[in-house]
């Protein structure tokens, strides 16, 4: 999903987005976050040996709503990212509750992927960073066929192609806004 989202939010022409195939579990790291971030840095630098590394994005689902704890978790991870990735800009895609809550910011994209899918009007007006278990919510209310996590990249791609992905979409999700603000602060690529 981020392979579609990052270029849409990146200032200027976005270079290639390369995903790390092996997941690094940040949530379980607690006191051992720095070594895991160093693994990510090594991966990024290894892929940039013949190109310029313009930034590092890390995605993690918070599995909780955006509240005071969200602020603490985000601040802690972002500080350690800045310390580890000193030479590179970084952005933390810390999705509250899950990244599906970010997809819900772009309701026009859902019927592009499955014609029968429509988000409820009430969902388009709510604070999506406070919506718990967004995957299950989409499964229950989206329609047929049932939503699956595997649909997420196609939905984001449809949102980008439709021109709906901007830093400040109509809907409300603080965790998305925090991520978009970080990406927009990166230097413009040529």
């Amino acid at each position: 999903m981020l392979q579609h989202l990052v270029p849409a939010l990146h200032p200027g022409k976005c270079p290639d987005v390369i995903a790390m195939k092996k997941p690094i579990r940040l949530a379980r790291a607690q006191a051992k976050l720095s070594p895991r971030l160093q693994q990510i840095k090594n991966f990024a630098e290894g892929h940039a040996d013949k190109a310029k590394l313009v930034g590092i994005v890390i995605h993690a689902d918070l599995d909780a709503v955006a509240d005071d704890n969200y602020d603490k978790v985000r601040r802690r991870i972002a500080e350690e990212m800045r310390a580890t990735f000193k030479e590179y800009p970084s952005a933390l895609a810390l999705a509250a509750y899950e990244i599906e809550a970010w997809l819900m910011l772009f309701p026009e994209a859902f019927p592009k992927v499955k014609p029968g899918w429509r988000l409820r009007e009430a969902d388009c007006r709510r604070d999506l960073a406070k919506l718990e278990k967004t995957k299950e919510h989409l499964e229950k209310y989206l329609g047929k066929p049932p939503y699956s996590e595997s649909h997420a990249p196609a939905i984001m791609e449809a949102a980008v192609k439709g021109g709906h992905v901007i830093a400040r979409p109509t809907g409300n999700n603080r965790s998305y806004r925090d991520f978009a603000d970080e990406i927009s602060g990166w230097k413009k690529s040529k």
Side-chain angles (χ1 to χ4, degrees), residues 11-25:
K13 184 179 178 322
C14 184
D16 292 338
V17 176
I18 298 171
M20 189 172 182
K21 301 288 186 218
K22 176 187 163 209
I24 306 265
R25 305 278 183 226

Side-chain angles (χ1 to χ4, degrees), residues 88-107:
Y88 313 109
S90 61
L92 176 59
L94 183 62
Y97 190 87
E98 297 159 325
I99 200 117
E100 278 75 8
W102 290 14
L103 290 175
M104 292 173 71
L105 291 168
F106 313 108

Side-chain angles (χ1 to χ4, degrees), residues 11-187:
K13 184 179 178 322
C14 184
D16 292 338
V17 176
I18 298 171
M20 189 172 182
K21 301 288 186 218
K22 176 187 163 209
I24 306 265
R25 305 278 183 226
L26 295 180
R28 296 184 194 140
Q30 296 302 323
K32 296 182 181 177
L33 190 55
S34 292
R36 293 174 189 221
L37 293 176
Q38 187 61 49
Q39 284 181 307
I40 295 167
K41 181 179 178 183
N42 293 345
F43 171 85
E45 288 177 336
H47 277 77
D49 59 350
K50 295 180 183 170
K52 181 181 177 190
L53 178 60
V54 297
I56 298 172
V57 173
I58 293 178
H59 164 251
D61 283 341
L62 183 63
D63 294 333
V65 298
D67 57 12
D68 292 342
N69 187 54
Y70 163 82
D71 293 327
K72 290 175 194 167
V73 170
R74 181 169 231 304
R75 191 170 30 256
R76 183 177 148 265
I77 295 173
E79 285 172 3
E80 291 207 39
M81 285 173 64
R82 281 190 294 277
T84 303
F85 310 143
K86 293 181 210 80
E87 310 92 326
Y88 313 109
S90 61
L92 176 59
L94 183 62
Y97 190 87
E98 297 159 325
I99 200 117
E100 278 75 8
W102 290 14
L103 290 175
M104 292 173 71
L105 291 168
F106 313 108
E108 305 88 354
F110 286 85
K112 300 288 185 206
V113 175
K114 299 290 179 187
W117 283 358
R118 299 273 183 274
L119 288 183
R120 299 178 319 158
E121 188 62 34
D123 288 335
C124 296
R125 291 190 308 267
R126 72 188 311 165
D127 182 350
L128 295 166
K130 303 244 184 237
L131 177 62
E132 292 184 8
K133 301 186 183 207
T134 49
K135 284 182 195 129
E136 290 87 347
H137 184 84
L138 288 176
E139 289 167 2
K140 182 175 180 181
Y141 293 110
L142 198 52
K144 300 288 182 199
Y147 171 81
S148 164
E149 198 173 325
S150 64
H151 293 112
I155 296 167
M156 185 54 70
E157 182 179 21
V160 170
K161 284 182 177 175
H164 306 295
V165 176
I166 56 175
R168 294 285 187 272
T170 304
N172 182 21
N173 187 313
R174 190 168 111 210
S175 66
Y176 173 85
R177 189 176 58 239
D178 289 344
F179 173 69
D181 287 348
E182 284 182 338
I183 289 280
S184 67
W186 289 15
K187 288 183 183 173

